[in-house]
Amino acid sequence: VDLEADVDSKVGGVVAIGGSATRLELQGKEVLDSLTLDLEGAPEAHHLEARLYGPPGVLGLAANGGLEDLVWRGDLDALNLGADPWGDWTLLQSVRATVSATSAELEEACLGSDSARLCLRGSRRTGGAAAFTTSVNGLELSRFENTLPEGWTVTGVLNAEATVQIAEDRGLLARGEGELDSVQMGYPTDRGRRELFFSGVRLNAAMDEGGARVGGGLRVLVDGATEVANLDGRIAMPGYTHLGMELPAQTISGDLQGRITDFSALEALIPDVEEVAADLTIGVDISGTVGSPELRGAARLAQGSLNLTGSIFENHILRNISSRNLVLLTRSPRMDVPM
């Protein structure tokens, strides 16, 4: 750690501080490669610049502000973030911030990266009360291709928004929804490359005095026309209304409905699985608790075939699985699936 300071001892005098640090570790894990910090000006009017490098990425910022009556008010003039696979993000315009011992507030700050936009505004008060609003628009899924298996590709756009309010008693009011638009995924199979198109991919969540609820669904098409999957699901925890409540004991309810007729993605993910063909219809109700969920319903598998290869499954072939009901009467941690 290096630190240099030039301080004018007069009241309101100018202060100039420059510092740097390298290789910061926390519990044996490196969290920071290097940090540089420069502060110049009087307490009531000063300029701050900082830059951090670390395994997660790079952060740089510049701010101008002043301290009056123990309240700092100022403008965040520059903010640059860089992290894989998210890419490089830049603050689009200066944003106002206020910080004191009892509260903090940030006006809407928007970051841009190519055509994507990420915005956040929020406030927090002593006692834990807080409110936040965030949104992301136009985030390209192709940024995350390097996290997929070799040969896989993905395109499409994510749009999402969320609003959160936390009371002093940790009661939570929250709303969030997200949607994926024009999603296309490609992957290699033994019979050539497979391209799937996703539509109606949506997720919504809420938490209020009625508990917590999550729901969503998707449709999957081949060649942009033939539907090969259609799933809808929801789950609710009616008693979960405050942060910090014990999760395992919470009562849950929900369901999963849908149909899948294309399992070729299994061939790409599991080398020992080939020539998958099946028509699977699912209708399952969810109940019980988070710690001990129960599933009741049925899954109908019609006209299925599966070829398993490799050192363990060599020459074992399952074919013509016709109209079998997989009746689900399960309770965690044990699952029985009679055939």
Side-chain angles (χ1 to χ4, degrees):
V1 177
D2 294 321
L3 181 65
E4 295 181 0
D6 185 3
V7 180
D8 187 338
S9 60
K10 297 192 300 292
V11 176
V14 174
V15 176
I17 299 175
S20 64
T22 59
R23 195 170 178 78
L24 175 64
E25 293 186 0
L26 182 63
Q27 295 181 343
K29 183 178 180 180
E30 184 179 357
V31 296
L32 186 66
D33 291 332
S34 66
L35 163 68
T36 59
L37 178 67
D38 291 291
L39 174 66
E40 184 174 358
E44 65 274 11
H46 49 260
H47 176 76
L48 170 69
E49 290 188 8
R51 194 163 184 85
L52 295 84
Y53 298 85
V58 179
L59 181 149
L61 64 85
N64 287 283
L67 186 65
E68 183 178 357
D69 296 329
L70 299 180
V71 178
W72 187 90
R73 296 180 177 86
D75 296 311
L76 183 61
D77 295 321
L79 178 62
N80 300 295
L81 301 172
D84 290 331
W86 296 90
D88 297 324
W89 295 78
T90 301
L91 186 67
L92 298 179
Q93 63 182 25
S94 179
V95 59
R96 192 72 172 171
T98 304
V99 181
S100 72
T102 60
S103 66
E105 183 172 356
L106 177 71
E107 295 184 359
E108 187 174 60
C110 290
L111 300 170
S113 177
D114 296 328
S115 60
R117 297 291 181 269
L118 173 64
C119 296
L120 170 69
R121 67 180 304 162
S123 62
R124 191 179 189 280
R125 300 287 183 268
T126 298
F132 302 96
T133 299
T134 185
S135 66
V136 58
N137 291 283
L139 182 64
E140 308 93 339
L141 300 184
S142 57
R143 297 170 184 257
F144 306 99
E145 279 191 357
N146 61 357
T147 66
L148 299 176
E150 184 177 358
W152 286 54
T153 59
V154 63
T155 59
V157 174
L158 169 66
N159 299 300
E161 61 181 15
T163 300
V164 178
Q165 295 181 1
I166 305 173
E168 291 189 8
D169 65 354
R170 307 197 75 183
L172 182 63
L173 297 176
R175 292 285 188 278
E177 59 183 25
E179 185 176 64
L180 294 174
D181 186 33
S182 303
V183 179
Q184 180 176 345
M185 178 175 288
Y187 50 88
T189 71
D190 290 341
R191 297 185 301 278
R193 189 164 185 81
R194 190 70 159 169
E195 300 287 341
L196 298 180
F197 299 83
F198 294 76
S199 68
V201 183
R202 68 192 188 283
L203 177 69
N204 56 76
M207 184 171 172
D208 50 33
E209 61 278 1
R213 303 172 297 282
V214 178
L218 63 83
R219 295 178 65 224
V220 184
L221 310 175
V222 173
D223 300 327
T226 304
E227 183 178 279
V228 296
N230 191 332
L231 295 172
D232 281 282
R234 65 176 186 86
I235 192 164
M237 292 188 295
Y240 194 78
T241 58
H242 290 66
L243 292 177
M245 296 181 69
E246 184 180 356
L247 274 175
Q250 294 297 319
T251 301
I252 59 173
S253 64
D255 63 77
L256 176 64
Q257 310 289 334
R259 182 185 180 194
I260 305 174
T261 61
D262 188 301
F263 293 85
S264 59
L266 289 176
E267 302 176 34
L269 288 172
I270 307 174
D272 290 336
V273 175
E274 296 180 355
E275 302 174 11
V276 182
D279 188 335
L280 178 65
T281 302
I282 303 170
V284 176
D285 291 327
I286 305 169
S287 60
T289 65
V290 174
S292 184
E294 298 179 12
L295 307 180
R296 295 182 181 274
R300 178 183 293 273
L301 179 65
Q303 299 176 350
S305 66
L306 172 66
N307 186 5
L308 302 176
T309 65
S311 58
I312 299 177
F313 303 111
E314 190 69 37
N315 298 322
H316 287 254
I317 301 176
L318 305 178
R319 295 190 182 279
N320 301 321
I321 305 172
S322 179
S323 299
R324 292 200 177 188
N325 289 326
L326 310 182
V327 181
L328 305 179
L329 295 174
T330 68
R331 184 185 181 99
S332 178
R334 177 172 169 267
M335 177 176 289
D336 296 323
V337 186
M339 295 184 62

